[in-house]
């Protein structure tokens, strides 16, 4: 098995076997992370810079912990307070950092495509930690690992992704990954929150939870991304919760053993019932956070192996 990429910019360029490579290595890091002594040396001597141009809680913390556990020197740039405010362009900032010889650059940016652009300008490995509505590859990989561990496989599952699909890079990366691994993906949400042309991605689309959830093995809820809405996409949050909020009653339409997922941050009482989110028999939301650290360790480990031996791609 191999993983022959210089960057992790999205799920789109990954082959199914490469996705499996990341997940298999992440499984090993889950074991390491559960031990009292959590240090490994895969990134020893390397410098990791986290550049978050958009607010983040779990993703940034997760990348930071992942880098530290693997022995990297990790630096967080406070981008809001940086020279961007003084008018410097993204590329100028990137070039300045590049001159400090980082090995891994973890970037989140509000504009789709900004991280790809940056990757073309620097000579280190770039990981996309979310760019606009485009992709959030480590989120899809951590979701995949959570599903694989809960269900024992990552193929031929019925997976429902519900809510604000139109504004979600999480949905996009998940649709790509779950499709590549040959699952049946259904999208459920109001037509106003469904992107045009989404059926071309090989998904089924529903605007009714009862219909869409029927027999689903996995129910993935998404946050209403108000910060990306510039008009009235929903009548009211109460109405939205009534029709699309996941509670025990709606979950009963899914398969009896269906798991509930959410990438966070959650709006309790808007897209998901608080009690259901905390129900450890159904919800794997905390496992998703745990898998996040392991998947990021695996992704950075694989990219670092390619940095050290660029020609062949790594054999795992
Ligand atoms: N944390 C995820 C993201 O950055 C999901 C969300 O914000 O709703 O895309």
């Amino acid at each position: 098995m191999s993983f022959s990429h210089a960057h992790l910019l999205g799920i789109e360029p990954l082959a199914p076997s490469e996705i499996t490579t990341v997940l298999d290595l992440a499984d090993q890091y889950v074991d390491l992370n559960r031990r009292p002594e959590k240090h490994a040396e895969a990134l020893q001597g390397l410098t990791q810079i986290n550049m978050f141009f958009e607010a983040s809680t779990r993703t940034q913390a997760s990348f930071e912990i992942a880098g530290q556990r693997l022995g990297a020197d990790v630096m967080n740039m406070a981008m809001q307070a940086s020279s961007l405010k003084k008018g410097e362009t993204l590329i100028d900032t990137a070039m300045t950092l590049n001159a400090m010889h980082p090995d891994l650059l973890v970037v989140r940016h509000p504009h789709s495509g900004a991280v790809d652009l940056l990757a073309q300008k620097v000579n280190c490995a770039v990981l996309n930690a979310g760019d606009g509505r485009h992709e959030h590859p480590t989120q899809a990989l951590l979701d995949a690992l959570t599903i694989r561990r809960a269900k024992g496989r990552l193929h031929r599952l019925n997976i429902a992704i519900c809510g604000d699909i139109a504004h979600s890079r999480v949905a996009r990366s998940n649709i790509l990954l779950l499709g590549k691994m040959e699952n049946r993906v259904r999208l459920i949400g109001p037509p106003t929150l469904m992107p045009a042309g989404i059926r071309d991605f090989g998904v089924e689309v529903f605007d009714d939870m009862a219909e869409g959830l029927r027999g689903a093995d996995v129910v993935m809820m998404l946050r209403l991304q108000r910060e990306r809405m510039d008009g009235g996409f929903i009548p009211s949050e109460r109405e939205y919760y009534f029709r699309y909020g996941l509670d025990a009653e709606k979950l009963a339409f899914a398969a009896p053993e269906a798991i509930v997922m959410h990438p966070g941050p959650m709006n309790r009482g808007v897209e998901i019932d608080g009690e259901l989110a905390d129900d450890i028999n159904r919800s794997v939301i905390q496992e998703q956070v745990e898998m996040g650290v392991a998947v990021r360790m695996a992704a950075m480990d694989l990219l670092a192996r390619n940095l050290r031996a660029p020609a062949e791609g790594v054999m795992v």
Side-chain angles (χ1 to χ4, degrees), residues 54 58-59 108 129 136 139 169-170 223 225 227-228 262-265:
E54 232 185 29
R58 77 215 75 227
T59 305
R108 168 169 289 189
H136 191 352
Q139 177 72 48
R169 53 196 176 209
V170 174
R223 181 173 67 90
Q225 301 213 235
E227 74 277 21
R228 300 215 179 99
H262 193 301

Side-chain angles (χ1 to χ4, degrees), residues 134-152:
H134 178 227
E135 282 234 39
H136 191 352
T138 56
Q139 177 72 48
L141 287 162
L142 76 88
D143 289 340
L145 185 62
T146 308
I147 295 170
R148 195 173 79 165
R149 290 172 71 101
K151 293 285 158 198

Side-chain angles (χ1 to χ4, degrees), residues 1-6 18 21 302-316:
M1 287 187 293
S2 70
F3 183 89
S4 57
H5 298 270
E18 292 175 319
T21 297
L302 291 166
L303 292 174
R305 294 186 207 193
N306 286 348
L307 278 175
R308 287 174 165 137
E312 312 102 67
V314 308
M315 304 308 290
V316 181

